[in-house]
Amino acid sequence: MASYCLLAGRLQQALGHGARKYHISAVLCQRAKVAMSHFETNEYINYEKVEKNIDIVRKRLDRPLTLSEKIVYGHLDDPVKQDIVRGKTYLRLRPDRVAMQDATAQMAMLQFISSGLPRVAVPSTIHCDHLIEAQFGGDKDLKRAKDINHEVYNFLATAAAKYGVGFWKPGSGIIHQIILENYAYPGVLLIGTDSHTPNGGGLGGICIGVGGADAVDVMAGIPWELKCPKVIGVKLTGRLSGWTSPKDVILKVAGILTVKGGTGAIVEYHGPGVDSISCTGMATICNMGAEIGATTSVFPYNHRMKKYLEKTGRSEIASLSEEFKSSLVPDAGAEYDQLIEINLDELKPYINGPFTPDLANPVSEVGTIAEQKGWPLDIRVGLIGSCTNSSYEDMGRAAAVAKQALAHGLKCKSQFTITPGSEQIRATIERDGYAAILRDVGGLVLANACGPCIGQWDRKDIKKGEKNTIVTSYNRNFTGRNDANPETHAFVTSPEIVTALSIAGTLKFDPEKDFLTGADGKKFKLEAPDADELPKSNFDPGQDTYQYPPKDSSTESVNVNPSSQRLQLLEPFDKWDGKDLENMQILIKVKGKCTTDHISAAGPWLKFRGHLDNISNNLLIGAINIENNKVNNVKNALTQEYGPIPDTARYYKAHGIRWVVIGDENYGEGSSREHAALEPRHLGGRAIITKSFARIHETNLKKQGLLPLTFSDPADYDKIHPEDKITLAGLKDLAPGKVMNSGSPFMSILIKNGSQETIVLNHTFNETQLEWFQAGSALNRMKELQK
């Protein structure tokens, strides 16, 4: 586009001014328009605006910019006046598009309906991938899901049609793979209602996971707010080779940074080692960056991305990216807030877990470590695929391992499942023979969906409470996440290592040095897998599963049955009364890790994601009560009886008692699910007080009118007893219209048997977020602004 418009400018100088000048400029620049996707031919990539914003900000800051800064600042609503301080100021941004998966889209669309707006303001899509349970295999599981979830799928399809949203039907594939194949492009700013949205960073975009209320802001045409991210640089040198895979890069980084080390930052990969990683491999690395708390992750534009764009039918975008490449790579001399260096020549295969994705173990040592720790060595199930590792290259490398075993007469000792990431991947691996190889070695090909990765797994081979080990190529391995069994020791690694370990059947196997015994009794060693990163022929698109939104949606209707147990229209939350919050009961003081899985469990609860009251029956049922070390068991302060947390919260609400939760470190880690914020608000919660928050959950709480507060001194967590009562003083000074300066503290007064102790709590509210609290929620505030 730049070259066309440059040519136009030179012709204008030669021909002079007037109509002729306008005509040439318009024609040549029109020729340069490139659609954002095949599905939105009238929505164009606007690199020129991004480049203009970058130039404004670079002059203002007077320093080189990282790639992350270029893309983020390139989407500023007002690049001239916007305050920009990494890690401190809030940016007002204009994302290019929105993506929602079916479990989160229900609440996002219910909120959008409540806003009263007629149509989305930016390109948006819904992807049906979360509600398909793994049982018997692809076709059977898909058919069952369509029957069970008919009401929800119909709601999403009709809401999409009514409000101008593209709809990917069940069986299309996992949201992040569909985005990579069709919607992500270098320099895009995309937000998605799923924490693994950063997958798109593998194609050079800034793709950020958010809650549904954030998506509603963008779909409503309101500038989206994000705290200005810090930037962590990861410099890669050397080359990937042998058994080492892209997954090992992020498993290594997770071990370095831990589950909270990336909070508030974008992880930006760079250096000569980048070119040895495929585009889908880069996506794998960015995808799992969510496990270190990062805002997102990104790679600079290179020839691997160009190759992927061309193979997925987007050569025009590849050509345009080449023209604007200077805006799609970091400036020379750009500085990072933290720098990590990894030599890929020295990197070895890793397997992380159990129970947390940052517990990094070398594959060569995990067997010995497992013996020392008492982890089961016998692998019951190996599972490959998911949004993290289901590319053509991933499936090819797994098949390369399986083919060697078959050649020696072996099959998997463990159960083995395969989840294609998209219909395109499924169709292509069927055509090219990979699926047949994986079946022959003992694999079961599941539906193109999330499945066991998010707990959608009807597992029959063990009983709940039975101690066992599984290995996956997924991204998360929190307690009970995959199969609802707290005694399942889940490990995450690459698809090829999962395949090798499933063939061996034990953690005590290192494919780089250990031998297997073939059916003929002879020993052999698996060779490092090799596979094409992209198919030699074009991808097979498979079945057409996309529903275009109609140009005229005036005749479309969306109905929600008032007696439905799956869907429920939203009622506005109550508005803050302008007074201090006094004598609030502590619902629970949480001990240790408390992810969004603990706060709002997935698995069987996914069916209630569109019904706020029903899903609120899972509030905090996975959290450990520090008072008795039990799960889902707290004392009712009025009855003095112990019972489930949701029941206790409902009792307090019915009796007009407001309550708070006391939490530990990195509270709300994991999924982007805003139900973890909606549920406590719905059941009468007013504040969540912790040592620290995960980024998405903190924002979700603010959006729903809750107060996410942190201890100024984390040691004050230990001073609070579950039977104490909490008063938040200083709130009354926030009368509607007043604004508290960012960084000023709230004062929490603890009532301890008649005595008072003051503890300082910090907040990170800006003016807009305080308006959300004052109005009762961000949605309430949006309605006020419309009036």
Side-chain angles (χ1 to χ4, degrees):
M1 188 184 297
S3 59
Y4 285 123
C5 293
L6 179 61
L7 175 59
R10 289 173 178 169
L11 285 171
Q12 288 161 6
Q13 289 180 348
L15 295 172
H17 301 284
R20 199 170 193 179
K21 167 184 172 182
Y22 173 80
H23 173 74
I24 292 171
S25 175
V27 169
L28 290 177
C29 290
Q30 178 70 24
R31 284 174 56 198
K33 284 186 175 181
V34 174
M36 292 170 64
S37 80
H38 296 307
F39 302 99
E40 297 135 353
T41 54
N42 293 321
E43 298 285 350
Y44 303 107
I45 296 173
N46 195 346
Y47 280 148
E48 288 163 315
K49 181 180 179 182
V50 170
E51 199 169 62
K52 181 180 177 181
N53 284 5
I54 291 171
D55 289 342
I56 292 170
V57 173
R58 187 187 286 112
K59 289 176 183 176
R60 285 184 55 202
L61 299 182
D62 192 26
R63 62 172 174 77
L65 299 178
T66 66
L67 170 60
S68 308
E69 291 179 305
K70 286 184 177 182
I71 300 175
V72 172
Y73 304 161
H75 288 82
L76 286 170
D77 184 50
D78 186 352
V80 175
K81 297 180 181 178
Q82 173 70 63
D83 289 335
I84 301 172
V85 182
R86 283 187 195 171
K88 292 186 178 180
T89 58
Y90 280 86
L91 307 178
R92 292 166 63 84
L93 302 168
R94 292 285 185 178
D96 296 301
R97 65 179 311 117
V98 172
M100 299 167 280
Q101 41 94 336
D102 51 355
T104 52
Q106 295 172 64
M107 195 57 67
M109 293 309 295
L110 286 166
Q111 290 178 86
F112 189 82
I113 290 169
S114 296
S115 75
L117 295 168
R119 197 172 177 89
V120 297
V122 301
S124 303
T125 51
I126 293 171
H127 305 258
C128 294
D129 62 0
H130 271 55
L131 299 179
I132 303 170
E133 185 178 48
Q135 275 190 330
F136 306 109
D139 292 339
K140 291 181 179 179
D141 293 345
L142 179 58
K143 183 180 184 302
R144 178 172 176 268
K146 287 180 177 179
D147 291 340
I148 292 173
N149 302 306
H150 174 75
E151 180 186 14
V152 171
Y153 290 148
N154 181 65
F155 166 74
L156 292 174
T158 55
K162 178 68 176 177
Y163 298 104
V165 176
F167 181 69
W168 288 84
K169 301 172 186 176
S172 302
I174 305 172
I175 176 173
H176 311 303
Q177 292 303 308
I178 298 292
I179 289 172
L180 197 72
E181 294 170 356
N182 299 282
Y183 297 114
Y185 59 82
V188 69
L189 177 60
L190 179 153
I191 68 166
T193 60
D194 190 280
S195 58
H196 292 105
T197 301
N199 192 79
L203 201 43
I206 292 293
C207 303
I208 300 176
V210 299
D214 275 355
V216 172
D217 277 357
V218 179
M219 291 191 292
I222 297 173
W224 174 59
E225 291 201 347
L226 175 73
K227 181 179 278 189
C228 187
K230 295 183 178 181
V231 187
I232 297 173
V234 178
K235 183 178 181 180
L236 303 178
T237 58
R239 294 183 60 82
L240 287 178
S241 62
W243 283 92
T244 306
S245 73
K247 187 68 164 279
D248 298 307
V249 176
I250 185 57
L251 294 177
K252 175 71 172 178
V253 171
I256 295 170
L257 289 177
T258 77
V259 291
K260 62 178 182 177
T263 301
I266 294 175
V267 179
E268 183 174 313
Y269 294 85
H270 62 282
V274 166
D275 287 337
S276 73
I277 306 173
S278 67
C279 177
T280 51
M282 291 187 266
T284 291
I285 294 168
C286 292
N287 177 295
M288 202 176 155
E291 311 324 319
I292 57 175
T295 301
T296 192
S297 302
V298 68
F299 278 83
Y301 177 73
N302 69 356
H303 71 282
R304 308 299 281 265
M305 296 182 192
K306 181 176 185 290
K307 188 176 179 181
Y308 183 79
L309 286 168
E310 291 170 343
K311 185 61 75 170
T312 52
R314 294 175 286 172
S315 57
E316 287 187 335
I317 295 179
S319 298
L320 190 65
S321 298
E322 288 289 325
E323 288 191 55
F324 284 87
K325 186 173 181 178
S326 63
S327 296
L328 304 173
V329 297
D331 287 340
E335 295 185 359
Y336 299 94
D337 296 283
Q338 182 180 351
L339 184 63
I340 297 168
E341 295 193 32
I342 296 176
N343 185 343
L344 300 180
D345 291 333
E346 299 173 355
L347 186 64
K348 290 292 185 179
Y350 273 83
I351 180 168
N352 287 24
F355 306 124
T356 185
D358 60 343
L359 182 56
N361 310 291
V363 171
S364 59
E365 300 174 15
V366 70
T368 301
I369 296 171
E371 287 179 322
Q372 296 170 348
K373 300 285 189 181
W375 304 335
L377 288 172
D378 177 52
I379 297 171
R380 299 296 291 269
V381 191
L383 307 98
I384 67 169
S386 86
C387 67
T388 314
N389 277 111
S390 57
S391 68
Y392 185 82
E393 181 183 37
D394 288 328
M395 295 299 167
R397 284 173 68 88
V401 175
K403 191 173 182 179
Q404 295 178 60
L406 290 169
H408 289 85
L410 297 185
K411 290 191 175 185
C412 291
K413 289 185 179 179
S414 309
Q415 292 184 43
F416 186 50
T417 70
I418 302 97
T419 303
S422 68
E423 170 62 8
Q424 178 170 276
I425 292 296
R426 183 208 63 78
T428 306
I429 66 172
E430 290 285 0
R431 181 196 69 191
D432 293 353
Y434 291 165
I437 293 170
L438 294 171
R439 286 193 188 96
D440 288 345
V441 84
L444 174 66
V445 178
L446 301 174
N448 313 323
C450 299
C453 184
I454 60 163
Q456 284 285 56
W457 184 15
D458 185 21
R459 189 178 181 190
K460 301 294 189 183
D461 64 298
I462 61 161
K463 295 179 180 179
K464 190 169 183 178
E466 182 180 342
K467 195 174 181 180
N468 75 104
T469 285
I470 64 173
V471 294
T472 82
S473 70
Y474 302 163
N475 41 50
R476 282 194 185 130
N477 56 349
F478 302 140
T479 302
R481 177 175 174 86
N482 303 121
D483 61 3
N485 179 13
E487 290 301 321
T488 293
H489 293 55
F491 296 82
V492 291
T493 185
S494 67
E496 50 266 50
I497 293 295
V498 172
T499 306
L501 293 179
S502 298
I503 292 165
T506 176
L507 283 178
K508 205 168 177 61
F509 177 73
D510 178 5
E512 289 193 302
K513 66 180 182 182
D514 293 336
F515 287 80
L516 294 168
T517 303
D520 58 2
K522 295 181 180 179
K523 292 187 177 298
F524 72 97
K525 194 167 78 167
L526 294 170
E527 298 295 327
D530 186 30
D532 295 330
E533 65 179 277
L534 295 165
K536 290 184 172 64
S537 303
N538 290 330
F539 279 105
D540 183 337
Q543 299 179 40
D544 183 5
T545 54
Y546 180 71
Q547 171 188 295
Y548 286 87
K551 291 182 180 179
D552 180 5
S553 60
S554 59
T555 60
E556 301 290 335
S557 61
V558 184
N559 296 313
V560 175
N561 188 333
S563 62
S564 172
Q565 294 302 301
R566 297 288 302 269
L567 298 165
Q568 181 186 47
L569 293 174
L570 297 174
E571 296 291 333
F573 289 130
D574 60 298
K575 190 172 183 177
W576 176 55
D577 61 9
K579 300 177 182 178
D580 285 346
L581 296 171
E582 298 181 339
N583 296 318
M584 292 187 291
Q585 190 64 48
I586 296 174
L587 177 66
I588 181 174
K589 182 180 178 183
V590 177
K591 178 181 178 182
K593 184 186 284 284
C594 191
T595 71
T596 49
D597 279 16
H598 295 88
I599 305 167
S600 176
W605 291 95
L606 284 172
K607 62 179 173 285
F608 296 125
R609 284 285 181 86
H611 197 293
L612 180 54
D613 195 57
N614 281 347
I615 199 170
S616 293
N617 289 322
N618 76 1
L619 175 65
L620 286 158
I621 62 174
I624 298 174
N625 181 4
I626 198 169
E627 186 181 11
N628 56 16
N629 285 316
K630 291 183 178 180
V631 173
N632 195 26
N633 187 268
V634 295
K635 182 190 284 187
N636 184 315
L638 273 67
T639 67
Q640 297 298 302
E641 295 177 354
Y642 282 85
I645 295 173
D647 293 354
T648 307
R650 287 186 186 277
Y651 188 95
Y652 289 160
K653 181 179 181 180
H655 288 78
I657 298 171
R658 294 179 290 195
W659 51 263
V660 304
V661 169
I662 307 298
D664 210 316
E665 294 272 8
N666 207 32
Y667 186 89
E669 168 193 343
S671 169
S672 70
R673 68 192 67 157
E674 66 178 342
H675 296 77
L678 283 159
E679 292 173 34
R681 182 73 164 96
H682 175 64
L683 295 185
R686 299 305 303 179
I688 313 293
I689 304 171
T690 72
K691 293 181 181 178
S692 63
F693 286 98
R695 174 190 64 85
I696 300 176
H697 187 59
E698 180 180 357
T699 301
N700 286 344
L701 291 169
K702 291 176 181 177
K703 286 278 186 179
Q704 303 307 333
L706 280 154
L707 294 170
L709 308 172
T710 57
F711 295 105
S712 180
D713 180 0
D716 286 339
Y717 166 89
D718 298 320
K719 295 180 180 178
I720 297 179
H721 188 274
E723 294 186 357
D724 291 334
K725 290 187 177 180
I726 305 287
T727 291
L728 294 178
L731 286 179
K732 61 186 178 183
D733 296 328
L734 285 177
K738 287 189 176 181
V739 176
M740 180 178 284
N741 294 327
S742 182
S744 57
F746 289 109
M747 304 300 289
S748 171
I749 299 177
L750 305 185
I751 311 301
K752 290 178 175 285
N753 298 320
S755 64
Q756 295 185 353
E757 182 171 358
T758 300
I759 291 177
V760 176
L761 301 176
N762 295 327
H763 73 87
T764 56
F765 286 84
N766 65 8
E767 181 173 349
T768 302
Q769 293 165 349
L770 285 169
E771 289 175 354
W772 298 340
F773 173 68
Q774 291 164 347
S777 71
L779 185 58
N780 290 1
R781 180 57 178 158
M782 184 190 298
K783 291 179 179 179
E784 288 180 357
L785 292 173
Q786 288 180 39
K787 293 177 182 177

